Amino acid sequence: MAELQKTLSAWRGAALFINIVLGAGLLVLPGLTVQKIGDLSMISWILCAVLASPLFIIFIILGCRYPGPGGIASYVQQAYGRLAYIIASLMFLGAVLLGLPAIALTGGYYASNTFGGQPHMHALLILGSVLLLNLQSVEAAGKLNQWLSWVLVAFLTGLALLSLFLVSNEPTTHSFAMPSSFSEMKMIWVAVPMIFFAFTGWEVGASITGEFKNPKKDLPLAMWLSFVIAVALYLVMAYVVQRADLGNAYESPFATIINNHLGAYGKNVVGVVAITLIFANLSAAGWGVSRMVYSLAQEGIAPPFLLRLTKGQPYHSLVSIIFIFSLVVILDWLGFMGVDNLLSLAGQNFIILYGLSALVLVKLAERLLEKMIAFLGIFVCMAIVTLQGFSIIYPIIILALSVSTFFLKARQKKARVY
């Protein structure tokens, strides 16, 4: 059977992780956080970085120990068996098949505001471009994603520094405060679930660990590099937004900052940055998700035609997921979805997957320190779920489908034996 090529170095892997993690929320969440908790905004971003750290370390430990295209699902199978693998796999697909089209739609709305036109058409064009990039040879696609990542980081760094310069002579709208009472601590904690989703993405990246040339050496370096770059950008942009005078434009803080100083060019600059960011994000995420689908086909859960490789790429997996993403965009166009609903349903699945990863390390930990990190990760996930709250119907449907698939496959295997 053809195997995925091992083409990722530490630098190229870091580029893919950065593209996956840095999403459009980076341009929105700092403003929404200031709107929600004002002077306490900056400390809430620092707290989220601290809370995300144990979950991030869990992915490094498991990725080095069990590299492969299966990602979180393969870790779960190592610890808890076949049924748990199917549950985790379908939970992951349930997240990305809604969450990534929502990101494409966000890009469509930015493109519509910047260039005009119908946002859903722009979203479909973005998805088509993602498919074209990832259908290049695995070597060429890896290089393109790497260069796209550094362009993205340069764009965001430039936007952050320009915004910092522009607001430096303005009077400070919000001071930078530490919580001084229990009520203020509670305010920060309530804002955590919203901010925390800026720190998701490495769970998608877990599906590319098997393509590192030397996973035990290159994977930790790639992940730490991406984490440091992402957190640094988050904190700088959170600082800028907290300091700026946004009026009531909390949903588009950087467009407001630049527009206040540079006129109409501000909207166009931020629009181009946002579209580039979203394209890079979807391109890298599509790479990771296609590997996950490929792994499901290897395990006999997904149809075998998804195993076909062309130029080292899982060709049919890529085409299939982009088709489904496009279908979700079209359904939203027809009024059956809604970006907020898509993100909400996807978000709850990602938190469940983080918790499952922590449970894996509880069982497979080889040292006491690893077990302590795992329990800390479980606590973080439980706390966020408690604060966020979610509709239990969607994960229950996925759970029922997983159990049905497990017993169907078991029955088919038994029939073949006889």
Side-chain angles (χ1 to χ4, degrees), residues 58-143:
I58 288 169
F59 289 131
I60 293 179
I61 295 170
L62 295 176
C64 289
R65 200 165 291 168
Y66 310 108
I72 291 176
S74 66
Y75 308 154
V76 172
Q77 182 168 234
Q78 290 283 340
Y80 299 107
R82 184 71 169 177
L83 176 57
Y85 167 79
I86 296 174
I87 293 171
S89 297
L90 296 188
M91 200 69 70
F92 176 85
L93 286 177
V96 297
L97 294 182
L98 298 183
L100 295 185
I103 293 173
L105 283 166
T106 303
Y109 284 110
Y110 269 108
S112 178
N113 288 333
T114 305
F115 304 113
Q118 219 291 330
H120 292 84
M121 283 300 301
H122 285 298
L124 293 173
L125 287 173
I126 291 171
L127 289 173
S129 301
V130 167
L131 178 62
L132 289 177
L133 187 152
N134 278 303
L135 286 180
Q136 307 303 309
S137 71
V138 69
E139 183 70 23
K143 287 181 179 179

Side-chain angles (χ1 to χ4, degrees), residues 60 67 130-131 161 169 194 209 270 279 285 303 350 370 397:
I60 293 179
V130 167
L131 178 62
L161 293 178
N169 294 322
M194 179 180 69
T209 55
V270 176
F279 174 73
F350 280 130
E370 290 180 357
I397 292 173

